[in-house]
Amino acid sequence: MRQVKIYDTTLRDGTQAEDFNLSLADKIRIAQKLAQLGIHYIEGGWPGSNPKDKDFFAEIRNYDLNGSRITAFGSTHHKDRPPESDPVFQELLISLAPVMTLFGKSSLFQVREILQTTPERNLELITESLAYLKPRVEELFYDAEHFFDGFKDDRNYALKTLQAALDGGAQCLVLCDTNGGTLTSELIEIIKVVEERFPRAPLGIHAHNDSELAVANSIAAVALGCGQVQGTINGVGERCGNANLCSIIPNLQVKMGLECLSADNLKRLTEVSRFVYEVANVRPNRYQPYVGKSAFAHKAGVHAAAVKRNPKAYEHIDPTLVGNVRVIPVSDLSGRGNILMRAQELGLDLGTHDAAVRHALDKLRQILNLDEGVNLPPFESNVKTVLDKVKDLESQGFQFEDAEASLELLLRAALGQHKEYFQLQSYRVIDQKGVGSEPPVPEATLRVRVGMHEVHTAAFGNGPVDALYNAVLKALVRFYPRLTEVILEDYKVRVLPGMRGTGAMVRVLIISRDGHAWWNTVGVATDIIDASWQALVDSINFKLFRDEQGANK
Ligand SMILES: [Zn+2]
């Protein structure tokens, strides 16, 4: 089977997108996730361009990436300095990345206007830079920047730059549609010329999406024989984005029968897509092909009925191949749930043939790590309650994909395993700002009941939510000393569009950890402190419940 290598540049080209920012820790987490997916090359950044990218290469060396290779990106050396005394160029070697991708100019316009050198000097720069790196790295690729535009400008010169890269020792010539303006029909003709001229050279493709053709162009290039595809998760990238690997990979693997990832790893695609959105705190695109929430949703009526008879009726692939799920309208499900409930009330046993019930039970077993054999009778009668509750919360803006701890608490409540560790009586948060430039002073006072005790505390904080957290911790710690182990690792706020004519809602996601585990909790309200409070309470309850479970084992 022909193999195609996937080269991810989410961490470099992807971060050029507006509103897509990653911290060093985010980049490390995404790299690990990409490695789990089995991506062949993970481009970590341009070490010469900023300190964060430099730090990434130092840090990522400490992680085992299951065979995925870290790649450093950089440009040809400075036109007036040799490689050994060009500090930006030297950063590439300092990164110690095993693979390097060097980009050079293919277009005369770019050479003269932007690089401001002669066409001959540009060719020298390409060959010299690559030849310098070649003995110092394990693999070396050449990104031919603006290749298609350069070709249209002056094809002889563009082809000469590729020859220069081969002379320097490049192991793959990656043809870049840097401005994203090339039509697929043009791209096909140009690649054919390149293949005629360099029949034995391995080729790659790097497409941008300015004409909304990045995926189509990448697929066409592979069909013509390109063996490496560069792109980003969810197609994030400068301007309109890069080629979207979440579409390219299943197209290549499922439709064209090419080998990219293992079939098992392909099932992680949806998870990875959503993970990257969440890490960057960007709302996922539900209409995204293959991995979006709506990609296999069938909205009521004839379609849903047909899909239930045979999914092929309105689905181009089986959603489970990419780890996505078929969505049948919830209203339809709850209708069925109603029937089930009514039947139970009347003492008629309909069994659990209902797909909604089975699905909910499977999901519950999965979340709670229960064996097939474990019976869940109290839950079955509560299936509709839970489904309705989840549906209702989701319509308010809750999302549970990345808030497993909140979902687990909800499901346990349905199983009657809910335990109330404390009860809020009231809280009050004051944020006092005076004249001048002094920062405001946030203070929270809190009344909670723990069993028979009523506790009243007050605390300051770095912000109103921090003050509230300090106050609740102060109140609970003498009853539950292990709460001091909890660290609030991250706090993410998203404003949700107004629903049902109400004002905007705020969704707060809190990521907590202790010495053993990480957990995410969520809260939604029109009031940011209320939403934060919900997520805080879930975090505390989850910690206490987990510890208790652990102690009982
Ligand atoms: Zn690019």
Side-chain angles (χ1 to χ4, degrees):
M1 202 193 284
R2 196 182 128 207
Q3 214 199 26
V4 178
K5 299 281 190 189
I6 303 296
Y7 183 112
D8 177 279
T9 179
T10 307
L11 303 180
R12 203 266 309 167
D13 232 357
T15 58
Q16 312 256 41
E18 283 193 278
D19 294 336
F20 186 83
N21 302 304
L22 301 175
S23 68
L24 176 61
D26 293 338
K27 289 183 74 167
I28 299 287
R29 285 169 75 206
I30 291 178
Q32 289 175 286
K33 203 78 177 170
L34 293 171
Q36 283 172 8
L37 186 61
I39 296 288
H40 304 100
Y41 299 101
I42 300 170
E43 191 175 80
W46 183 349
S49 75
N50 67 70
K52 197 200 287 171
D53 283 7
K54 199 177 159 175
D55 293 345
F56 172 84
F57 288 100
E59 175 70 17
I60 197 70
R61 271 177 242 143
N62 305 317
Y63 297 84
D64 177 15
L65 298 174
N66 315 312
S68 293
R69 313 204 81 189
I70 291 291
T71 307
F73 179 83
S75 83
T76 48
H77 70 80
H78 193 279
K79 62 180 177 177
D80 302 324
R81 283 192 207 126
E84 54 275 17
S85 51
D86 175 349
V88 177
F89 191 76
Q90 285 298 318
E91 287 292 345
L92 274 170
L93 294 176
I94 295 168
S95 80
L96 296 179
V99 185
M100 283 178 199
T101 299
L102 204 75
F103 79 92
K105 302 274 181 208
S106 326
S107 126
L108 277 179
F109 162 76
Q110 295 280 338
V111 170
R112 293 201 177 107
E113 295 291 319
I114 311 297
L115 196 57
Q116 300 194 327
T117 190
T118 63
E120 295 70 31
R121 181 64 184 144
N122 180 50
L123 295 177
E124 284 170 14
L125 290 176
I126 294 170
T127 307
E128 277 176 21
S129 302
L130 289 162
Y132 179 83
L133 292 178
K134 178 78 176 175
R136 296 170 166 86
V137 296
E138 292 171 29
E139 277 186 278
L140 184 61
F141 304 141
Y142 176 67
D143 265 13
E145 199 195 22
H146 293 110
F147 180 76
F148 296 94
D149 295 333
F151 186 99
K152 286 190 261 178
D153 228 16
D154 184 330
R155 70 166 63 191
N156 282 329
Y157 186 74
L159 292 168
K160 271 189 198 166
T161 63
L162 294 184
Q163 184 60 55
L166 286 174
D167 293 345
Q171 287 159 285
C172 184
L173 303 176
V174 182
L175 309 177
C176 302
D177 187 23
T178 308
N179 295 0
T182 306
L183 298 180
T184 310
S185 49
E186 297 172 307
L187 175 124
I188 290 172
E189 290 313 309
I190 294 172
I191 292 180
K192 281 181 181 165
V193 175
V194 173
E195 286 181 334
E196 239 165 70
R197 181 67 67 90
F198 306 104
R200 288 214 305 275
L203 299 180
I205 181 77
H206 176 113
H208 278 260
N209 202 33
D210 301 70
S211 307
E212 209 161 21
L213 290 170
V215 170
N217 284 348
S218 304
I219 300 296
V222 172
L224 288 169
C226 286
Q228 182 187 112
V229 182
Q230 301 194 348
T232 60
I233 298 298
N234 303 326
V236 292
E238 216 164 344
R239 306 185 305 275
C240 317
N242 281 59
N244 184 355
L245 290 178
C246 293
S247 297
I248 290 173
I249 293 170
N251 279 336
L252 297 181
Q253 195 154 330
V254 181
K255 302 281 173 74
M256 294 166 76
L258 301 171
E259 191 185 332
C260 304
L261 312 179
S262 73
D264 267 357
N265 281 354
L266 188 62
K267 292 197 176 100
R268 293 171 175 265
L269 194 66
T270 300
E271 174 199 331
V272 172
S273 160
R274 294 188 192 162
F275 180 84
V276 170
Y277 278 122
E278 289 307 332
V279 169
N281 201 12
V282 173
R283 187 177 311 132
N285 171 9
R286 67 176 306 143
Y287 306 113
Q288 195 172 323
Y290 288 106
V291 295
K293 267 193 175 164
S294 298
F296 300 94
H298 305 283
K299 197 173 172 181
V302 187
H303 282 208
V307 164
K308 266 182 240 165
R309 202 159 296 131
N310 188 334
K312 277 187 182 163
Y314 292 98
E315 284 177 3
H316 69 132
I317 63 156
D318 174 356
T320 59
L321 292 174
V322 292
N324 209 342
V325 287
R326 176 173 307 127
V327 179
I328 309 168
V330 180
S331 53
D332 186 41
L333 280 188
S334 48
R336 288 158 64 103
N338 271 332
I339 294 166
L340 189 79
M341 280 287 284
R342 185 82 191 112
Q344 277 176 346
E345 282 166 18
L346 295 171
L348 297 171
D349 180 20
L350 288 186
T352 49
H353 308 298
D354 192 282
V357 177
R358 279 205 313 273
H359 180 75
L361 285 174
D362 286 349
K363 179 115 190 146
L364 183 73
R365 283 207 167 87
Q366 206 185 326
I367 290 166
L368 303 182
N369 271 327
L370 296 177
D371 293 335
E372 279 291 320
V374 178
N375 279 327
L376 300 167
F379 182 71
E380 259 171 61
S381 60
N382 284 330
V383 161
K384 176 159 162 28
T385 320
V386 172
L387 285 180
D388 281 357
K389 177 94 180 152
V390 170
K391 185 183 134 196
D392 184 43
L393 290 172
E394 281 182 343
S395 76
Q396 289 172 35
F398 277 84
Q399 262 169 296
F400 293 105
E401 273 89 9
D402 51 330
E404 308 83 4
S406 287
L407 181 62
E408 180 174 336
L409 290 173
L410 188 74
L411 293 176
R412 286 196 186 278
L415 275 169
Q417 293 186 1
H418 179 65
K419 186 169 168 190
E420 205 166 42
Y421 295 93
F422 63 99
Q423 253 180 336
L424 175 71
Q425 306 291 102
S426 69
Y427 67 65
R428 185 165 56 165
V429 180
I430 306 162
D431 203 15
Q432 191 179 335
K433 169 95 176 161
V435 279
S437 58
E438 284 295 303
V441 183
E443 181 184 349
T445 55
L446 179 83
R447 269 175 51 218
V448 290
R449 183 180 280 284
V450 185
M452 306 286 290
H453 308 271
E454 182 152 347
V455 193
H456 184 209
T457 54
F460 295 110
N462 291 323
V465 176
D466 189 46
L468 191 57
Y469 181 63
N470 291 339
V472 72
L473 209 59
K474 218 168 166 180
L476 297 181
V477 80
R478 68 184 162 106
F479 304 98
Y480 309 113
R482 288 183 68 180
L483 283 180
T484 52
E485 297 166 3
V486 180
I487 294 168
L488 298 187
E489 189 62 32
D490 207 349
Y491 175 85
K492 292 182 179 182
V493 179
R494 191 180 299 166
V495 177
L496 306 168
M499 294 189 200
R500 295 180 187 155
T502 62
M505 301 284 275
V506 181
R507 173 179 182 256
V508 168
L509 185 82
I510 291 180
I511 302 171
S512 315
R513 71 179 167 90
D514 57 16
H516 317 280
W518 296 70
W519 60 96
N520 295 7
T521 52
V522 66
V524 175
T526 49
D527 177 320
I528 189 169
I529 295 181
D530 186 15
S532 307
W533 172 255
Q534 294 168 18
L536 280 176
V537 169
D538 270 8
S539 173
I540 292 168
N541 281 334
F542 189 77
K543 160 75 178 166
L544 296 175
F545 186 80
R546 265 288 160 92
D547 283 356
E548 224 173 66
Q549 294 290 102
N552 291 342
K553 266 179 193 166

